[in-house]
Amino acid sequence: MIRLSRLADYGVVLMTHIAGDAERPCAAHAVAAATRIPEPTVSKVLKALSRHGLLESHRGVNGGYTLARAPSEISVTEIIAAVDGPIAMTECLDADGGACSLETFCPTRGSWLKINNAIRQALDEISLADMIAPTLLFPPPAAPGERRRLIS
Amino acid sequence: MIRLSRLADYGVVLMTHIAGDAERPCAAHAVAAATRIPEPTVSKVLKALSRHGLLESHRGVNGGYTLARAPSEISVTEIIAAVDGPIAMTECLDADGGACSLETFCPTRGSWLKINNAIRQALDEISLADMIAPTLLFPPPAAPGERRRLIS
DNA sequence: GCGAATGAGGACCGCTACAGTCCTGTATGT
DNA sequence: ACATACAGGACTGTAGCGGTCCTCATTCGC
């Protein structure tokens, strides 16, 4: 029903992997090999993450990516936002808005904001450190690259 | 970042409209005219909602749809689930799952479940009645039919 | 200084799934 | 009997996502 884009999912997986590899810079191809995610895609996601200040990049030989902050200081929200970006948000604001407002004053808007906040808060409370923590008392591992991960 | 499908959005808007029109059955074309959503689409969404027990349908002349339950007994989660369906959920379960589990044991899985629950809970707590309530102390009305409504 | 390694940034493209439409059948009330 | 309205499915166009590739900039080792 509510879905997370595949790339955003990748983003979280990649971040957790880099967080697990401590201080040494992780090259894109190394992370790709470890996570089994196609390398060009990994590169794309990592670039987005570094552009948004979640990763630091180091060029040249033995370069790669390192976390820009401590895992506990990075929320899942940030990761998702960095990869997927705040698309569509503007469409609701700068769009015509007249097609609906004419008859119905869209009373649902206020509630949507409430829902938005609730979800955002739930995501904000989970940091990258929480993702690394061994919460995997859970049965079978899921593929990180299935089509789309259901959220709710 | 996390998006709601357009049809699910429609679902909520349509439900609130029908809830506002009390006991009288609302014909699909009437709801379409009121909400400015194309009629075939309205029909499609209403059919889905009734198939999932959120609406009751009445055929024949003067037929239409009525709420199956009180607005306070219908959660937003149900509406979204009825329209969008639990797609992709299975992909995570019945998929190969081996592409990832080989090297990384996908430690993120446990956290995802936690996030899922948090979001689900946030949505469950909001009923259709809450959506109708005059929470619209908010500035401008949003179009109900923009491309996609951002959630977080 | 030169070359290899690696990230940066964009262009491009196929495919899937969503959104929308239409058609035929069925039920109900006048 | 007929008009109205829902039921259920088939069909289709398309936007956006996921993925690939290419070129340039930067850094390190030799």
Side-chain angles (χ1 to χ4, degrees), chain B residues 1-80:
Chain B
M1 30 170 88
I2 297 182
R3 301 170 236 89
L4 198 61
S5 85
R6 201 148 145 195
L7 290 182
D9 191 2
Y10 287 166
V12 175
V13 172
L14 295 175
M15 288 292 283
T16 57
H17 180 83
I18 293 175
D21 222 331
E23 290 298 324
R24 194 178 68 243
C26 299
H29 68 85
V31 181
T35 57
R36 302 283 183 129
I37 301 172
E39 196 196 317
T41 302
V42 167
S43 180
K44 186 182 196 174
V45 173
L46 291 181
K47 272 183 275 190
L49 289 169
S50 106
R51 211 177 310 128
H52 285 80
L54 297 181
L55 291 176
E56 281 179 358
S57 65
H58 308 277
R59 291 192 175 187
V61 186
N62 295 328
Y65 293 93
T66 53
L67 291 186
R69 281 172 270 159
S72 60
E73 299 299 316
I74 300 176
S75 72
V76 174
T77 315
E78 288 178 286
I79 300 174
I80 297 174

Side-chain angles (χ1 to χ4, degrees), chain B residues 13 38 47 55 70 94 109 120 127 149:
Chain B
V13 172
K47 272 183 275 190
L55 291 176
D94 61 23
R109 171 150 173 83
R120 177 184 289 276
S127 74
R149 189 186 298 275

Side-chain angles (χ1 to χ4, degrees), chain A residues 26-29 47 50-51 57-61 64-65 147:
Chain A
C26 298
H29 69 84
K47 271 183 275 189
S50 105
R51 211 177 310 127
S57 65
H58 308 276
R59 292 191 175 186
V61 186
Y65 294 93
R147 276 231 62 60

Side-chain angles (χ1 to χ4, degrees), chain A residues 2 36 100 102 116 144 147 151, chain B residues 2 36 100 102 116 144 151:
Chain A
I2 298 183
R36 303 283 183 127
C100 155
L102 204 65
N116 285 5
R147 276 231 62 60
I151 274 276
Chain B
I2 297 182
R36 302 283 183 129
C100 154
L102 204 65
N116 285 4
I151 275 276

Side-chain angles (χ1 to χ4, degrees), chain A residues 52-72:
Chain A
H52 284 80
L54 298 180
L55 290 176
E56 281 180 357
S57 65
H58 308 276
R59 292 191 175 186
V61 186
N62 296 327
Y65 294 93
T66 52
L67 291 187
R69 281 172 269 159
S72 59

